[in-house]
Amino acid sequence: RAYLDRTSDSTLVIAGASSVMNIDLRPVIESHFDSGAQITLIYRRGEGDSRTPGYRLTVGDDGRVVRISDTPGGADGIFLDHLIIEHETMVRLLDLYASAGYLDLIEVIRDNLSSLDVRGHVFEGYVRMINSLEDYVQCSHDLFSPVINDELFMGERPIYTKVQDNPPAKYLSGSVKNAIIATGCTIEGDVSDSILFRNVTVGKGAVIKNSIIYQRCIIEPGAQLENVICDKFAHIRAGVQLSGTAESPFVVAKYQVI
């Protein structure tokens, strides 16, 4: 609330942290202004099934959101935790629920939908909502698709990260198939359908399948990993066998030695 009291901006963009996508907000903001809406909710088409988390939006022919529900059934799409809202509207809603304690903003909008001008804006690109470990693994595997990878990282709006200059990965023996290998890695084993972050060491004869290995992990010779997530600086001893499932991967904690 302190920020809202300080800022002179008349329109706010609120973006959740659970959506993986590369979105140009300029046309969304332009559409918001053109419609004269108080709130614009960004959503993707399709409502999923009962296992799919998120709020469903039903949007009328005029673009107005007429229903918000947390269960599937006749909706047009799923809210992506991104919205445009007028400053005045945001302050009024906060004041209205000041004594309610914690309450999700989308629930506040749902409860006041009849008195608000709320519009929907469809996002047609790649998007994955990460609400569980399984979602994270699936999203990571999506990056093996050149189309998705290019859309997220190589398009008109590239995603940048901090620079860490490393030598190229060294492939000394073994094999690599359908994998993303970062710089500084040393590979002497077999890696398939996996993602290796920077400076990972894979010993001779080690096998890594369907796994995500964070930076500076050491996989000693002969170790076998399948459906495993290794956090930073984990160390897997020679000959150790670790196995999870696609739905429930085996997780090795940061700095853990097994």
Side-chain angles (χ1 to χ4, degrees), residues 196-210:
L196 274 58
F197 286 63
R198 294 184 178 96
N199 299 302
V200 170
T201 299
V202 180
K204 194 173 184 64
V207 177
I208 300 176
K209 298 179 180 178
N210 298 312

Side-chain angles (χ1 to χ4, degrees), residues 189-192 202-203 205-209 211 219-220 222-226:
D190 299 329
V191 181
S192 61
V202 180
V207 177
I208 300 176
K209 298 179 180 178
S211 297
I219 314 300
E220 290 192 1
Q224 297 186 33
L225 280 65
E226 185 170 4

Side-chain angles (χ1 to χ4, degrees), residues 16 72 79 165 184 243:
F79 175 53
D165 293 325
S243 179

Side-chain angles (χ1 to χ4, degrees), residues 40-112:
T40 296
L41 305 178
I42 302 173
Y43 70 99
R44 68 177 181 189
R45 298 186 193 278
E47 60 174 352
D49 55 29
S50 58
R51 297 170 299 174
T52 306
Y55 285 90
R56 278 73 172 173
L57 307 182
T58 303
V59 183
D61 294 337
D62 60 354
R64 290 178 182 268
V65 176
V66 297
R67 182 172 178 266
I68 300 175
S69 173
D70 56 3
T71 56
D76 295 293
I78 297 178
F79 175 53
L80 296 179
D81 287 340
H82 284 56
L83 61 89
I84 316 294
I85 184 169
E86 292 303 301
H87 180 279
E88 180 182 351
T89 302
M90 184 68 176
V91 170
R92 181 163 60 85
L93 292 176
L94 286 178
D95 289 342
L96 188 62
Y97 286 83
S99 61
Y102 172 79
L103 194 64
D104 196 316
L105 179 58
I106 189 65
E107 295 176 359
V108 174
I109 296 171
R110 178 193 61 190
D111 294 345
N112 294 273

Side-chain angles (χ1 to χ4, degrees), residues 10-257:
S10 61
T11 304
L12 308 172
V13 176
I14 299 179
S18 61
S19 305
V20 177
M21 58 182 178
N22 190 326
I23 181 172
D24 185 354
L25 288 171
R26 289 171 295 186
V28 186
I29 295 171
E30 182 179 351
S31 173
H32 174 80
F33 288 148
D34 290 345
S35 69
Q38 295 169 292
I39 302 170
T40 296
L41 305 178
I42 302 173
Y43 70 99
R44 68 177 181 189
R45 298 186 193 278
E47 60 174 352
D49 55 29
S50 58
R51 297 170 299 174
T52 306
Y55 285 90
R56 278 73 172 173
L57 307 182
T58 303
V59 183
D61 294 337
D62 60 354
R64 290 178 182 268
V65 176
V66 297
R67 182 172 178 266
I68 300 175
S69 173
D70 56 3
T71 56
D76 295 293
I78 297 178
F79 175 53
L80 296 179
D81 287 340
H82 284 56
L83 61 89
I84 316 294
I85 184 169
E86 292 303 301
H87 180 279
E88 180 182 351
T89 302
M90 184 68 176
V91 170
R92 181 163 60 85
L93 292 176
L94 286 178
D95 289 342
L96 188 62
Y97 286 83
S99 61
Y102 172 79
L103 194 64
D104 196 316
L105 179 58
I106 189 65
E107 295 176 359
V108 174
I109 296 171
R110 178 193 61 190
D111 294 345
N112 294 273
L113 193 58
S114 61
S115 62
L116 294 169
D117 186 349
V118 181
R119 307 296 176 109
H121 186 96
V122 179
F123 176 65
E124 301 284 7
Y126 169 82
V127 60
R128 172 79 73 169
M129 303 289 286
I130 298 181
N131 297 292
S132 66
L133 190 60
E134 182 181 358
D135 292 339
Y136 170 73
V137 172
Q138 291 177 347
C139 182
S140 298
H141 286 175
D142 286 348
L143 298 179
F144 292 133
S145 164
V147 174
I148 293 174
N149 204 306
D150 287 350
E151 179 181 337
L152 288 176
F153 298 109
M154 306 299 290
E156 297 178 356
R157 300 176 302 280
I159 296 175
Y160 296 101
T161 184
K162 61 183 179 181
V163 175
Q164 292 191 20
D165 293 325
N166 283 310
K170 294 188 290 186
Y171 302 90
L172 303 180
S173 61
S175 64
V176 175
K177 179 181 179 182
N178 194 38
I180 298 174
I181 310 292
T183 58
C185 291
T186 301
I187 311 296
E188 295 185 83
D190 299 329
V191 181
S192 61
D193 302 312
S194 298
I195 298 175
L196 274 58
F197 286 63
R198 294 184 178 96
N199 299 302
V200 170
T201 299
V202 180
K204 194 173 184 64
V207 177
I208 300 176
K209 298 179 180 178
N210 298 312
S211 297
I212 302 171
I213 313 298
Y214 277 74
Q215 66 187 48
R216 297 192 181 278
C217 288
I218 297 174
I219 314 300
E220 290 192 1
Q224 297 186 33
L225 280 65
E226 185 170 4
N227 293 310
V228 172
I229 298 176
C230 285
D231 206 344
K232 299 176 182 177
F233 300 99
H235 191 141
I236 310 302
R237 298 290 193 189
V240 169
Q241 298 184 22
L242 302 176
S243 179
T245 65
E247 296 76 21
S248 181
F250 187 100
V251 179
V252 181
K254 189 183 299 184
Y255 296 106
Q256 187 174 1
V257 179

